[in-house]
Amino acid sequence: MVLTPEQRVTLHGFNNLTKSLSFNMYDICFTETKEEREAYLEYIDEQYNSDRLKKILKHVADIIGAHVLNVAQQDYVPQGASVTVLVSEGPIVEVPNEAYHESPGPLPESVVLQLDKSHITVHTYPEYHPDEGISTFRADIDVSTCGEISPLKALNYLIHSFDTDIMTIDYRVRGFTRDIHGHKLFIDHDISSIQNYIPDEVKEEFDMIDVNVYQENIFHTKCKLKQFDLNNYLFGYTKDKLTQEQQAEITERLTLEMDEIFYGKNMSNGSPGVN
């Protein structure tokens, strides 16, 4: 069903569609020594502790128009954190036309629409390779909403809230709602790709793959950073302290780690290949 901003569908009761966004990101670092690894994990735990994550999720709630009911947060030992936010219908400040179009959302701005029976969660997973000197930080964010606006409007803000080398993004619309004539609506907005909710300047920095099942309202996008500055992946020193051979070896290790995460498989030669 094609909708324009002027063509509002009158529903029978509340909008019962559930729209779920899963945003999974990875940050990768080269930590050759035990001291570097411990310092990196300490930095990640401080940078992405539960207090900061709570602030990020509250901004997400503002963007999607939710009223925060309850917040549960936890910092784990030895590392990692979790935050869960339960939200309900928020005040209607304005109903913007762009809510019906595939476009990036705000960074963030005011509350825009209403929703109910929803939640937002984040869990972090710092870890490291036992031999190869690679440490990886992963964060999983889930935004589940009912109502008119799609949680994809929070994607732009989430991307800008984390230092990201790899992103895996899933979006699904489940259930159905009814119009006043009783006809079922299995989706209430047009969508062809999650990429349309990502700003152009971000898309220019990443290689992207889409896997979409349109008849099931399932959308999947993977993103991998095209190029990187080695200085951003060394912890405690810069690449001018390394020989050209060392720089090439570390770059190869980092690239292999990114490729394995992006393609979802272990690769001995650094290329996706075929199992």
Side-chain angles (χ1 to χ4, degrees), residues 201-217:
E201 63 270 19
V202 174
K203 288 190 284 189
E204 290 174 1
E205 298 177 357
F206 289 85
D207 289 319
M208 296 188 174
I209 296 175
D210 267 12
V211 180
N212 301 320
V213 186
Y214 295 105
Q215 66 271 26
E216 298 295 335
N217 297 321

Side-chain angles (χ1 to χ4, degrees), residues 7 20-21 66 79 91 100 123 143 154 156 161 164 177 186 198 266:
Q7 291 175 317
S20 299
L21 169 67
Q79 63 259 341
Y100 286 87
H123 305 284
V143 185
N156 186 23
S161 297
T164 306
T177 193
F186 294 95
I198 301 174
N266 291 296

Side-chain angles (χ1 to χ4, degrees), residues 23-28 48 158-168 205-206 223 225 233:
F23 174 71
N24 170 233
M25 59 74 60
Y26 292 85
D27 175 73
I28 299 163
Y48 296 108
L158 288 172
I159 291 171
H160 284 82
S161 297
F162 296 89
D163 293 324
T164 306
D165 298 310
I166 305 289
M167 296 184 290
T168 301
E205 298 177 357
F206 289 85
C223 313
L225 202 63
Y233 296 81

Side-chain angles (χ1 to χ4, degrees), residues 127-140:
E127 61 87 43
Y128 59 90
H129 193 287
D131 330 281
E132 295 297 324
I134 298 291
S135 292
T136 304
F137 167 68
R138 181 177 115 235
D140 295 341

Side-chain angles (χ1 to χ4, degrees), residues 24-275:
N24 170 233
M25 59 74 60
Y26 292 85
D27 175 73
I28 299 163
C29 188
F30 182 74
T31 52
E32 188 169 31
T33 68
K34 178 182 178 182
E35 291 74 20
E36 291 173 11
R37 182 173 70 239
E38 290 176 348
Y40 173 74
L41 293 177
E42 183 178 347
Y43 163 78
I44 286 295
D45 254 14
E46 181 179 347
Q47 182 75 7
Y48 296 108
N49 60 48
S50 62
D51 285 334
R52 178 166 185 251
L53 294 172
K54 179 175 66 175
K55 292 178 182 178
I56 291 173
L57 296 196
K58 284 188 174 180
H59 280 309
V60 171
D62 286 345
I63 289 170
I64 63 176
H67 173 67
V68 175
L69 292 175
N70 183 56
V71 178
Q73 65 184 88
Q74 180 66 50
D75 291 295
Y76 298 110
V77 177
Q79 63 259 341
S82 295
V83 179
T84 299
V85 179
L86 297 180
V87 294
S88 67
E89 179 179 285
I92 302 175
V93 174
E94 182 182 358
V95 180
N97 288 342
E98 59 266 23
Y100 286 87
H101 298 299
E102 296 179 81
S103 61
L107 282 180
E109 294 178 357
S110 60
V111 175
V112 291
L113 282 178
Q114 64 178 14
L115 68 166
D116 198 9
K117 304 181 184 71
S118 308
H119 68 270
I120 311 166
T121 65
V122 58
H123 305 284
T124 67
Y125 305 89
E127 61 87 43
Y128 59 90
H129 193 287
D131 330 281
E132 295 297 324
I134 298 291
S135 292
T136 304
F137 167 68
R138 181 177 115 235
D140 295 341
I141 299 96
D142 290 289
V143 185
S144 182
T145 71
C146 296
E148 293 183 35
I149 199 169
S150 166
L152 283 166
K153 285 298 180 180
L155 181 58
N156 186 23
Y157 171 68
L158 288 172
I159 291 171
H160 284 82
S161 297
F162 296 89
D163 293 324
T164 306
D165 298 310
I166 305 289
M167 296 184 290
T168 301
I169 308 164
D170 294 283
Y171 178 66
R172 182 175 184 181
V173 181
R174 293 173 292 179
F176 64 87
T177 193
R178 295 181 186 271
D179 65 17
I180 56 175
H181 303 292
H183 297 295
K184 295 183 181 70
L185 301 175
F186 294 95
I187 192 167
D188 62 351
H189 64 97
D190 293 327
I191 174 172
S192 58
S193 171
I194 292 172
Q195 293 190 34
N196 296 329
Y197 292 85
I198 301 174
D200 290 339
E201 63 270 19
V202 174
K203 288 190 284 189
E204 290 174 1
E205 298 177 357
F206 289 85
D207 289 319
M208 296 188 174
I209 296 175
D210 267 12
V211 180
N212 301 320
V213 186
Y214 295 105
Q215 66 271 26
E216 298 295 335
N217 297 321
I218 297 173
F219 305 87
H220 175 78
T221 297
K222 280 186 176 182
C223 313
K224 178 172 71 75
L225 202 63
K226 293 179 180 177
Q227 298 177 331
F228 58 84
D229 182 352
L230 185 57
N231 281 328
N232 296 330
Y233 296 81
L234 302 175
F235 206 79
Y237 58 96
T238 56
K239 64 183 180 183
D240 59 351
K241 304 296 183 182
L242 303 170
T243 66
Q244 291 296 321
E245 291 77 12
Q246 289 173 320
Q247 291 182 37
E249 180 186 355
I250 294 172
T251 299
E252 184 178 355
R253 290 191 197 179
L254 291 167
T255 301
L256 177 59
E257 182 77 1
M258 292 182 193
D259 285 345
E260 288 185 340
I261 294 171
F262 185 64
Y263 292 107
K265 62 189 299 182
N266 291 296
M267 298 181 289
S268 59
N269 61 359
S271 60
V274 178
N275 283 331

